[in-house]
Amino acid sequence: MHFRTVDIPTPDGAADAYAACPKEDGRYPGVLLYMDIIGLRPVIKEMVAELASHGYYVLAPNIFYRHGRAPVVEVPDLSRTEEREAFLGQVFPMMESHTADKAVRDAGSYLDFLAQQPQVRNGKAGVTGYCLGGMLALRTAAAYPERVGAVGSFHAGHLVTDAQDSPHRVVGQITARLHLGHAENDASMTPEEVATLNKALNEAGVDYTSEIYPGTVHGFTMADTAAFNPAAMERHWNRLLSLLSGTRPTG
């Protein structure tokens, strides 16, 4: 596996990112992987490498690059309540400052970088995201329908809000195939909100699947947190790889 840290040019500065692809010479479908709110760290590196090993060029940007290079905030022992709460107190303001406009602008830069890599095939990219990144994946697909062919969103929160730019209000712009993997117990995405999102997707005619992953809580794919669920993680890989296989060019 070729793995490196790269800088992605954006209108607001350079975004540091993980990038990986197979060692074998060739060109591979590009995949944009959005981190969770905790940030770029070893577990995200492992996920990037795992996905790349299946024949993809994977790019995982530090979405908080405006606040510094990763790790923007040193990650403590998140199993300790006091340390976890103090950490979240530092990163929540960064999340709140990452507006929809900034997210869409950044996404264009990330997709441009992917398309410019010599190891990346022509064609639509895949996008996957976790937690906050799951929301960003939807926004990316809605903003760039001509450039995104498949989207995975896992334990994403706040996809249905009262805001005019709520993610569920822009799904009508999505032309990609979509898989939503929701946590069974997630205060940031209640069953009522999942139903509202599904209704919006149905009305928009989006090609999607929406699943509740049993026995899970928010963050179930993250192996360095107490939320990690190995069975749900395996289901996530099965769903994501099946979804992304459709981004491969034929012939």
Side-chain angles (χ1 to χ4, degrees):
M1 190 63 49
H2 283 303
F3 181 92
R4 61 191 179 122
T5 300
V6 299
D7 284 348
I8 305 169
T10 84
D12 297 329
D16 50 311
Y18 296 155
C21 66
K23 285 184 178 179
E24 293 79 6
D25 290 339
R27 302 180 70 193
Y28 303 94
V31 179
L32 175 59
L33 186 152
Y34 282 115
M35 68 189 207
D36 63 348
I37 192 173
I38 300 174
L40 295 186
R41 59 198 192 282
V43 73
I44 299 294
K45 181 177 180 180
E46 291 169 6
M47 293 173 75
V48 167
E50 173 65 23
L51 183 52
S53 74
H54 292 274
Y56 296 95
Y57 185 106
V58 185
L59 181 70
N62 167 23
I63 62 175
F64 295 145
Y65 70 89
R66 292 177 180 85
H67 303 273
R69 299 180 70 84
V72 180
V73 179
E74 289 294 335
V75 181
D77 180 355
L78 296 174
S79 67
R80 297 173 62 88
T81 301
E82 289 185 4
E83 293 187 33
R84 181 174 65 250
E85 290 179 353
F87 173 78
L88 293 176
Q90 292 178 278
V91 296
F92 273 136
M94 291 190 287
M95 179 184 73
E96 291 168 357
S97 71
H98 195 63
T99 63
D101 287 345
K102 289 179 181 176
V104 167
R105 188 163 68 244
D106 287 347
S109 297
Y110 303 154
L111 291 171
D112 286 345
F113 184 91
L114 263 180
Q116 292 162 4
Q117 301 314 298
Q119 303 95 335
V120 175
R121 290 178 180 173
N122 295 330
K124 292 185 176 183
V127 183
T128 185
Y130 306 85
C131 177
L132 168 63
M135 178 179 68
L136 297 178
L138 290 185
R139 289 205 185 280
T140 300
Y144 301 97
E146 74 286 356
R147 303 182 68 178
V148 177
V151 181
S153 175
F154 300 92
H155 50 80
H158 308 297
L159 299 181
V160 175
T161 72
D162 294 331
Q164 287 300 311
D165 61 357
S166 171
H168 83 286
R169 301 186 195 280
V170 300
V171 295
Q173 302 169 46
I174 294 176
T175 59
R177 290 169 296 108
L178 171 64
H179 175 73
L180 297 154
H182 302 288
E184 185 174 22
N185 300 288
D186 192 342
S188 65
M189 197 65 190
T190 66
E192 294 77 17
E193 289 167 344
V194 171
T196 297
L197 175 60
N198 290 347
K199 181 174 184 289
L201 290 164
N202 287 330
E203 291 175 350
V206 177
D207 180 5
Y208 81 100
T209 56
S210 178
E211 282 187 270
I212 305 296
Y213 285 32
T216 58
V217 296
H218 184 81
F220 59 78
T221 63
M222 295 298 148
D224 60 350
T225 71
F228 183 58
N229 183 307
M233 180 61 153
E234 184 64 23
R235 180 188 291 238
H236 143 271
W237 282 124
N238 289 338
R239 299 295 190 267
L240 180 60
L241 291 171
S242 175
L243 180 77
L244 292 176
S245 66
T247 66
R248 294 177 181 275
T250 57

